[in-house]
Structure formats: C-alpha cells, structure tokens
Amino acid sequence: MKRWDLLAVGRLGLDLYALEEAPKVTTRAFGAFVGGNPLNVAVGAARLGLKSALFSAVGDDAVGEFVLGRLAREGVDTRFVFTKPGRRTPAVVLFREGGTYPMTFYREAAADGALDLDDAAKVAVEEARVLFVSGTALAREPSRSTVFALAERAKAADVPVYLDLDFRPSLWEDPRAYGLVLRSFLPLVRVAIGGEGEVRALRLRSVRLKAHQATEPEVEGDLEEAVMDVLGRGPEALVLKGGDRGAGVFFPDGKRLWREAFPVKPLTPLGAGDAFAAGLLWGRLRGRPWEEALLLGNACGAIVASRLGCGEFSPTAEEVATFLKERGIHVG
C-alpha cells in the first residue's frame, strides 16, 4: 500500500478568468480560481477519489495563502508545497474574446521555479503509485535539476513517471530549448501525454502563437515522425490528445488505440486536457485497460470543456458515471 496514488510536480498559481465574453477593454469581472497543469491534475484526481499530493511552492504572500486554502478544501495533500521567501506565487489572467482565450502569465520570481535539490530530498516519492511531472517544471533551474533527481528516484523505486508535455513557449527563455530538455528527460518516463502541437514541439523547428500566449500554440513538423521519436526514447506509451477529435495511445510496437471525443457545447477549452489526464490516471490506477482509461479521460475533458475553469471544475466519480450513463455507457 502506498501513501498516495498520485504525486504531481510543477507549477501552480492563481487563475483570474474573465466571467464574460467581451473585448478586453470592456471586461470588468473576473473569477478567482487556482490553476497550473499539475495542480489541476492533482485536484481532478482527488475529486475522482484518488489520494493525491502536490510538490510545488508558493511565495510568502496572500496569493499563496489563497492557493493553499483552495487545495486543502479539495483534499490535496500539500505537505510538499514549500514556501519560498522572496519569491511570489504566480498568476495567470485570461480573457474571453470572440472565441479566443488570450492568456498572460505572471511568473516573474515564481516560487515553484525555485524548487531545489534540498526540497526534493524531503519528498517521499517512493510512497506514491505514480509521479506526474509537468513539462514546465523543466523550463528553468533549479527546478529542472530537482525534477530530474526526483524522477531518477522514482524510476529506481519502480514508480511510473507520467510526463505531461505542457508546452508554454513564453515560460522558456528560448522555446527551442523545450525539445532539447524534454528529449533528455524521456528515458525516465513511462507514459508521455501531450497534444499534437506539444509532440511536434519536441522536434521544434518553428512556433506560431495564436491569440497571444494561447493555450495551444501552432507548431510545424511531421507528427508521425515526432510520435516515433518519443517512443524510441524510452516511454512505454504516448497518449495523444486530439481535442474535439478525441484521444489515443501509441505504443513502441506499433499498436494504437483511439477513442472519439464526446460532443459537448464548449464554454472554454482551458483545463479540459488536465481533466483528461486526471481521468486517464484514474482509470489506469484502477487497473482499467487503456481503451477504458481513454474513455474516462475523454468524459472528464468534455465535462470541464463545458465549464468555466480548470481543476476546481473537474468532475467527481459520480458526475462521470452520470455523464456516461446519459450516453448509454456503463463502466464498472
């Protein structure tokens, strides 16, 4: 028996989401939530009944208090969320304008980027069933070396490492370094998860942002070559998120599975990929086959796509069961 089903590693922060779809200059009301890829996955997993913990950091500030309070309310273990004096808890501001979702990251002196090897030494990664790593945690030092050290310990203890590619170009000093760094991390990874643009970015040639730091950058390159490159570097599986087309899992031996997405009327696409990852992990940690895990991930992603925010809008197990039952699908 392990203490946690899931230990997630990486960024967290305050999300300020526009409550109305309107031009930026006329937007007046924002909702305050918590966010960040690993935080969203940890919260989503907790809502589904998994024991989840988070390894990250906050500043010694009011925003950090807000984030820690919300995490406690969601049942996420925060014993490994350290406070970094002199650093700040980061934030993201998001507008909703004409079907686009412009995002601005405020991560100057971000506390989670200061996670160091001493912090990692305090984390009982061997007591987790899965280590979930956000690719953004590899963007800068000292967080980069910290995550490498933790993943090496996880692999030595036979704790599967799941890597969410989590490509945010503006968070790297040079977006071209993203592929260099993550390619070197892949030998420690058992399962990689990413959107098509994120997988292509591992062999980055050029990147074009839509709607200023949009959640899914356009990246040129051959997707098939990128998929095979990932699988040739150590992972046992690559989970590919295809947005409203669904999601699939690719294996080194050439086997592939694909599950179509559930059609829903989206409110925003933000957070749907993180909810998908939480649902996928929920399925795998319950011993479900890949096809069923993809189904559960797609259901969680669809539910969150029809809601305003990210982790705090993730579904419970009961909500997922109801969602599937309404579509004539029953899972154990």
Side-chain angles (χ1 to χ4, degrees):
M1 295 291 295
K2 297 290 186 81
R3 185 175 299 182
W4 305 284
D5 296 306
L6 172 71
L7 173 61
V9 181
R11 62 190 175 94
L12 53 65
L14 167 69
D15 282 357
L16 294 177
Y17 279 18
L19 297 179
E20 56 187 332
E21 183 159 348
K24 301 180 192 69
V25 295
T26 62
T27 299
R28 299 183 64 85
F30 290 83
F33 311 112
V34 292
N37 166 253
L39 179 151
N40 292 333
V41 174
V43 170
R47 287 195 160 203
L48 291 168
L50 297 179
K51 294 178 291 183
S52 65
L54 184 63
F55 175 36
S56 189
V58 296
D60 186 12
D61 52 38
V63 178
E65 293 179 21
F66 171 83
V67 172
L68 288 171
R70 289 291 179 95
L71 286 171
R73 189 177 72 180
E74 294 291 346
V76 175
D77 192 332
T78 60
R79 72 183 69 192
F80 303 127
V81 179
F82 301 104
T83 299
K84 296 289 183 179
R87 292 272 180 159
R88 291 182 176 178
T89 308
V92 175
V93 177
L94 175 135
F95 293 90
R96 298 163 57 204
E97 182 179 40
T100 65
Y101 309 95
M103 302 170 65
T104 300
F105 290 90
Y106 292 89
R107 289 187 54 82
E108 293 75 13
D112 54 74
L115 291 169
D116 58 30
L117 294 171
D118 290 335
D119 297 325
K122 301 171 186 175
V123 177
V125 66
E126 294 82 5
E127 290 299 309
R129 294 176 65 195
V130 162
L131 176 67
F132 179 90
V133 174
S134 162
T136 302
L138 298 166
R140 297 174 185 266
E141 292 289 359
S143 174
R144 179 183 302 154
S145 295
T146 302
V147 174
F148 265 92
L150 199 65
E152 284 186 346
R153 282 175 49 200
K155 186 171 184 178
D158 199 30
V159 175
V161 177
Y162 278 60
L163 171 66
D164 194 303
L165 300 179
D166 189 32
F167 182 40
R168 296 292 182 266
S170 65
L171 304 188
W172 292 74
E173 290 184 5
D174 186 334
R176 293 172 297 181
Y178 167 84
L180 291 170
V181 173
L182 267 68
R183 289 197 302 269
S184 65
F185 189 76
L186 284 173
L188 299 173
V189 173
R190 189 170 298 183
V191 179
I193 305 172
E196 293 178 359
E198 292 173 321
V199 174
R200 288 191 184 98
L202 292 172
R203 297 161 55 91
L204 188 65
R205 294 173 184 168
S206 66
V207 58
R208 182 170 64 253
L209 295 184
K210 297 183 296 184
H212 184 54
Q213 298 181 355
T215 186
E216 182 69 14
E218 292 181 347
V219 182
E220 297 176 353
D222 187 290
L223 179 61
E224 184 67 24
E225 288 182 4
V227 167
M228 298 311 298
D229 190 17
V230 171
L231 293 172
R233 294 178 183 271
E236 297 177 5
L238 169 62
V239 177
L240 189 66
K241 298 181 291 186
D244 58 9
R245 295 186 293 103
V249 58
F250 297 68
F251 302 96
D253 64 2
K255 181 180 178 182
R256 301 181 175 191
L257 299 171
W258 191 268
R259 292 293 307 228
E260 298 297 320
F262 293 98
V264 295
K265 183 177 181 180
L267 186 58
T268 78
L270 303 166
D274 298 342
F276 166 86
L280 180 92
L281 282 160
W282 180 45
R284 294 300 291 167
L285 286 168
R286 293 165 67 214
R288 304 306 188 192
W290 276 107
E291 189 170 7
E292 186 173 321
L294 290 171
L295 173 76
L296 294 171
N298 282 345
C300 291
I303 291 170
V304 170
S306 65
R307 297 174 175 177
L308 177 62
C310 298
E312 295 172 275
F313 294 81
S314 293
T316 63
E318 292 75 16
E319 288 176 314
V320 174
T322 299
F323 178 89
L324 293 173
K325 185 177 180 181
E326 290 172 350
R327 288 154 179 81
I329 301 171
H330 298 268
V331 294

